[in-house]
Amino acid sequence: MALSSQQLTQIQTQGLRWVDEKNLGLTRAGGAGPTDHKAFDFVSQTSMIPVFNEQVKRSPFSAKADANHEQVLIFENEKLIAKAAMPGRPKFYELTTSDGIPYWKIATLHSKDVLATTVLQECVRYRNRDTSCQFCAIEESLKNGKTIAHKTPEQLAEVARAAVELDGVTQMIMTTGTPKTLDRGAAVLVESARAVRALVDIPIQAQCEPPDDDVWFQRLKDAGVDALGMHLEAVSERVRKNIMPGKATVPLSRYMSAFKAAVAVFGRGNVSTYILAGLGDTEGEIIAMSKQLIELGVYPFVVPFVPVAGTPLEHHPMPSAEMLDRLFRELGPALVRAGIQSDSLKAGCAKCGACSSLKSYEQEVAHGPAAVCV
Ligand code: SF4
């Protein structure tokens, strides 16, 4: 039984309804990553699929545990189309720091083998909900006591070592809320990466807004960062100003100059950006920007927008599967032609690939018609 790239896109854009939520022990995560999703482990790929938001209740796709509670059965209407496993609770979640903080409050497992942390859980843009990114829930998990505001370099290194040794994580992603300083979080990522790499050999992707000075890219690299994400989220000034007025004060021209300077330091493909399809940018705008980025050597990680409960965009519609399918059919081959495929990257969301089916379209071009084995 195989799930095609197109089916995966449909499931990621419409979500999965749980037939029996309680039995599967589902709770939402909150925070800055894929917060209303759960990881599903298909044999050839792990995918983050929305399960919690209101719109998912209208999805034709549903899921329930099999009789032995060993696998998840996935249905389109009444027809069984796939089977998947759900990655178990990582062993490092059982540990606490010497000062009593559970490791899972410092970093969490994403997909099945990625350690992800938000180093600063507070963001200068978030203070005022009128100017914050309207899709973001970064401080909600802090209010809910699910994380701590500032993860120290020592804490991050301790958790990273345990996650590598106990759970075999293969890469670490460090994102951050944006502080008041002009480096926009780069400085805190430098000290964090340095401490982690001193203790454990693991590829790291750092994620921040473009800092004021390009010198930070070399500092990040020297500290042990292998790849950098600077996330546009929206590609047109129209949508940027509407959806993320605070972040839009850093102009697109600065993003483009920062991408260019960062590629010179990290290499082609090891600089990437998240683009949330469904916020209001047209298909043409997303394609044009993505192709410009690929030309620069930047991986445009196009991801379907998924509304998060409690944010101003919680009722904003998810994008259509048809639109994403058309985007990916164009971008998959463009990435392969440029030689910056997910699998060849050192670290980062584009390497993980769980939040978007773009990776399976790339593989379709590289290895023939795709099938996410299930
Ligand atoms: S793509 Fe990024 S945000 Fe999504 S699961 Fe992977 S590491 Fe996390």
Side-chain angles (χ1 to χ4, degrees):
M1 202 181 297
L3 208 55
S4 68
S5 302
Q6 196 175 15
Q7 280 177 310
L8 188 58
T9 303
Q10 288 169 342
I11 296 176
Q12 278 197 315
T13 49
Q14 295 174 84
L16 270 177
R17 282 180 291 110
W18 282 103
V19 175
D20 190 0
E21 280 189 21
K22 281 188 196 122
N23 267 350
L24 287 155
L26 294 175
T27 52
R28 21 164 58 93
T35 62
D36 277 8
H37 302 58
K38 280 284 164 193
F40 290 83
D41 202 359
F42 302 103
V43 173
S44 58
Q45 178 171 331
T46 303
S47 295
M48 300 300 290
I49 296 177
V51 295
F52 289 115
N53 71 48
E54 281 300 304
Q55 292 171 56
V56 165
K57 291 181 182 160
R58 300 193 290 275
S59 172
F61 300 101
S62 61
K64 67 176 183 186
D66 70 2
N68 303 322
H69 279 243
E70 284 170 357
Q71 278 195 306
V72 178
L73 308 177
I74 297 174
F75 299 84
E76 181 174 6
N77 297 313
E78 303 306 314
K79 187 178 168 215
L80 179 66
I81 57 164
K83 291 179 186 173
M86 293 182 78
R89 184 177 165 86
K91 296 188 188 79
F92 78 86
Y93 278 22
E94 305 304 325
L95 303 178
T96 51
T97 61
S98 50
D99 45 350
I101 299 167
Y103 278 16
W104 57 263
K105 289 194 178 189
I106 294 165
T108 56
L109 187 73
H110 276 205
S111 185
K112 66 173 178 187
D113 57 2
V114 180
L115 185 67
T117 185
T118 303
V119 181
L120 301 177
Q121 200 78 36
E122 293 169 323
C123 179
V124 69
R125 314 249 183 252
Y126 203 82
R127 293 294 126 75
N128 179 349
R129 248 332 191 171
D130 291 334
T131 56
S132 74
C133 301
Q134 303 289 290
F135 47 79
C136 182
I138 188 169
E139 294 191 12
E140 298 313 303
S141 45
L142 190 56
K143 287 180 200 153
N144 298 337
K146 291 187 170 173
T147 186
I148 57 173
H150 183 184
K151 289 83 175 175
T152 67
E154 296 73 27
Q155 289 169 339
L156 290 168
E158 188 178 332
V159 175
R161 180 166 63 183
V164 168
E165 287 175 359
L166 300 177
D167 297 285
V169 304
T170 58
Q171 59 155 317
M172 182 167 189
I173 295 184
M174 295 178 176
T175 191
T176 183
T178 303
K180 273 194 194 139
T181 48
L182 288 175
D183 62 86
R184 301 200 177 97
V188 85
L189 293 169
V190 164
E191 60 179 25
S192 305
R194 191 179 291 126
V196 169
R197 290 303 289 263
L199 211 59
V200 56
D201 185 19
I202 183 173
I204 296 174
Q205 187 205 34
Q207 303 180 344
C208 60
E209 292 187 36
D212 63 325
D213 192 326
D214 291 344
V215 75
W216 283 106
F217 301 136
Q218 191 60 49
R219 288 180 187 155
L220 284 160
K221 177 134 201 234
D222 292 345
V225 169
D226 298 281
L228 183 68
M230 293 183 286
H231 296 164
L232 285 169
E233 331 280 8
V235 301
S236 65
E237 289 295 7
R238 179 187 75 258
V239 178
R240 298 183 81 228
K241 285 187 181 135
N242 187 25
I243 301 282
M244 35 188 230
K247 194 167 164 176
T249 57
V250 180
L252 275 177
S253 55
R254 174 57 191 141
Y255 273 84
M256 299 316 276
S257 69
F259 286 139
K260 209 170 163 186
V263 169
V265 173
F266 293 99
R268 286 175 60 77
N270 285 309
V271 178
S272 58
T273 190
Y274 242 82
I275 294 175
L276 295 170
L279 291 179
D281 291 316
T282 65
E283 266 176 76
E285 286 167 335
I286 293 174
I287 290 284
M289 175 59 83
S290 298
K291 290 198 167 164
Q292 203 181 333
L293 292 166
I294 292 171
E295 186 82 26
L296 284 177
V298 175
Y299 190 110
F301 191 52
V302 178
V303 173
F305 165 69
V306 176
V308 177
T311 65
L313 290 189
E314 73 175 316
H315 301 300
H316 188 89
M318 294 199 281
S320 78
E322 292 74 23
M323 171 173 127
L324 266 299
D325 186 57
R326 286 192 298 271
L327 285 171
F328 294 158
R329 284 191 190 286
E330 190 132 2
L331 295 180
L335 285 162
V336 174
R337 279 195 302 274
I340 49 174
Q341 286 173 256
S342 168
D343 284 345
S344 61
L345 310 184
K346 291 182 183 161
C349 286
K351 183 173 186 68
C352 164
C355 284
S356 167
S357 52
L358 175 55
K359 182 174 180 170
S360 65
Y361 287 77
E362 268 179 34
Q363 288 171 343
E364 199 170 295
V365 180
H367 311 297
V372 176
C373 297
V374 291

